[in-house]
Amino acid sequence: MRDNPRTPANSPMSPSRRNLLFGTAAAGALFAAGCTSNENNDDNEKSTQAANTADTKPGKAVTIGFAGPQADHGWLNAINQQAKRRAKEYEDVTLETTEGSNDTAQQIGQIETLINKKVDVLVILPADGKALTQVGLKAMKAGIPVVNLDRIFASPQAYRCWIGGDNYGMGLNAGRYIGEQLKGKKNAKVVELAGLDNLELTGQRTKGFDDALKNYPNIEKVGRQAAEFTVESGQAKMAQLLQAHKKFDALWNHDDDQGVGAERAIQQAGRDDFLMVGGAGAKRAMDAIKADNSVLKATVLYPPTMAASAIDLARALGQGKGVGGLAELEIPASLTLYSAVVTKDNVDAYLPTGFS
């Protein structure tokens, strides 16, 4: 999604919010319904089954309504595919999906249709969390529990459970990785290729990155450009960074999709004198990390597996189950996924989660 590809304002991303933190693998081990990815999005849409502890034994039949985004961005397409593929794994789940829209009025109408169909549970990734809060409240008042995916509603009364990524954690872990790579280098310099600056998520990623770098007094951030999560913007803004900074040691790029353009600009400039860290976890990026023949050395995950986990949570809600591995009878109110750093040392473990 080009204008709002990740979690918006009022997202529970900061450490001050009371969220449970799970790594991708840990989440799969905890959910009684299973939460790890089973996807490897390639051109043939093949699926690689990841090991998990999914409770696939058929139980009470559950109809889940899924209202997702328009798949105009690699990560967003992966969200939709993850939800559909996970639902197919359960004999007791029927998935009612909408077409997917970035238009708030259209998405509200689609969700109201699902409410009128009396689905058992709703999974909603809103085009705009604040704008869709009222329809979330409407569903909850109608007795339909809502699993709010990634972009959070303005009121906790509009959802039963929120699950999403950690934007602050993305920046923090990117900064820590770069810091460790450069900690022995005197007067090291880094630059940042951010996303859209009018999105709060971009500020959260930058803040996490800056906070991490404070622990490395030998490192200075000397440049920053904000792109638009597109290949074209990534190439243009990266070219500007390269022109303005003839020498630096590391680059953090917020998004692997715009990273395609950034890498083009780097190749055109003939630069290979720094390391690059990406963001989100595209399969293309992981393949490059594994090949280890370019400046791209790592990517920080913003896992689309959250959509599969949202289906797991919705199924558990519909069947009155809790989360396996926890003592509570109910599923948690919120789950924040961990932003793991993928490098050549662990890339094989994460490749099945890579998206196209």
Side-chain angles (χ1 to χ4, degrees):
M1 184 172 179
R2 291 186 171 84
D3 59 347
N4 192 2
R6 304 287 191 270
T7 311
N10 72 340
S11 165
M13 293 292 100
S14 70
S16 63
R17 293 297 296 263
R18 293 179 298 152
N19 291 317
L20 292 172
L21 293 160
F22 293 96
T24 306
L30 282 172
F31 291 156
C35 285
T36 55
S37 169
N38 69 324
E39 176 180 19
N40 180 358
N41 280 323
D42 59 18
D43 292 338
N44 296 319
E45 301 256 358
K46 293 180 180 177
S47 175
T48 300
Q49 181 70 30
N52 59 53
T53 57
D55 175 17
T56 57
K57 183 179 179 181
K60 176 186 174 183
V62 179
T63 299
I64 300 172
F66 178 76
Q70 182 178 335
D72 59 358
H73 183 279
W75 185 87
L76 292 174
N77 181 63
I79 283 285
N80 291 338
Q81 294 305 315
Q82 283 278 348
K84 293 173 183 177
R85 289 176 181 174
R86 182 63 103 196
K88 288 180 180 178
E89 294 179 10
Y90 298 120
E91 294 180 20
D92 49 26
V93 169
T94 299
L95 192 67
E96 293 273 354
T97 62
T98 63
E99 184 177 342
S101 176
N102 298 334
D103 179 82
T104 56
Q106 184 177 7
Q107 193 175 30
I108 288 170
Q110 292 171 340
I111 294 167
E112 288 178 338
T113 297
L114 292 172
I115 293 171
N116 292 334
K117 286 184 176 181
K118 301 187 186 312
V119 297
D120 297 306
V121 189
L122 275 168
V123 175
I124 303 172
L125 198 165
D128 183 316
K130 183 177 180 181
L132 268 74
T133 298
Q134 288 302 314
V135 78
L137 288 167
K138 182 175 181 178
M140 292 288 288
K141 289 176 181 178
I144 302 173
V146 174
V147 177
N148 183 191
L149 181 57
D150 201 41
R151 301 173 194 155
I152 194 169
F153 293 132
S155 169
Q157 297 183 64
Y159 59 91
R160 167 58 182 82
C161 177
W162 175 88
I163 180 170
D166 185 357
N167 286 293
Y168 178 86
M170 278 188 77
L172 192 70
N173 289 344
R176 284 172 174 167
Y177 174 81
I178 288 174
E180 288 302 301
Q181 302 307 303
L182 301 180
K183 64 182 180 181
K185 186 175 180 62
K186 187 176 180 180
N187 299 323
K189 295 178 172 58
V190 301
V191 297
E192 179 183 8
L193 184 63
L196 283 162
D197 266 341
N198 64 341
L199 301 180
E200 184 172 339
L201 68 94
T202 300
Q204 291 166 345
R205 293 180 185 185
T206 291
K207 186 177 190 309
F209 187 60
D210 291 345
D211 284 352
L213 292 182
K214 290 175 183 177
N215 296 311
Y216 302 92
N218 65 306
I219 300 175
E220 178 186 5
K221 188 170 80 172
V222 296
R224 181 183 185 276
Q225 286 284 346
E228 300 174 359
F229 295 108
T230 66
V231 173
E232 295 78 14
S233 67
Q235 184 170 353
K237 296 299 182 178
M238 189 68 229
Q240 292 179 26
L241 277 173
L242 293 167
Q243 182 65 30
H245 305 281
K246 300 300 184 183
K247 177 68 177 176
F248 56 87
D249 301 288
L251 157 72
W252 182 45
N253 161 53
H254 286 206
D255 179 76
D256 285 334
D257 279 4
Q258 73 182 23
V260 173
E263 290 174 65
R264 286 178 186 170
I266 291 165
Q267 292 168 358
Q268 289 173 358
R271 297 281 294 272
D272 61 1
D273 54 326
F274 58 88
L275 68 91
M276 175 179 176
V277 176
K283 183 179 182 297
R284 177 204 60 82
M286 293 190 197
D287 287 338
I289 291 165
K290 184 172 183 176
D292 195 22
N293 57 7
S294 71
V295 296
L296 184 59
K297 302 301 181 185
T299 187
V300 188
L301 297 186
Y302 197 86
T305 53
M306 65 179 72
S309 298
I311 297 299
D312 297 333
L313 290 166
R315 176 176 180 256
L317 278 170
Q319 295 179 341
K321 296 179 179 179
V323 173
L326 295 182
E328 286 73 24
L329 296 177
E330 300 284 348
I331 69 169
S334 64
L335 293 170
T336 304
L337 302 185
Y338 184 66
S339 293
V341 179
V342 178
T343 69
K344 66 178 180 179
D345 295 328
N346 63 7
V347 65
D348 285 337
Y350 289 100
L351 264 171
T353 72
F355 60 89
S356 297

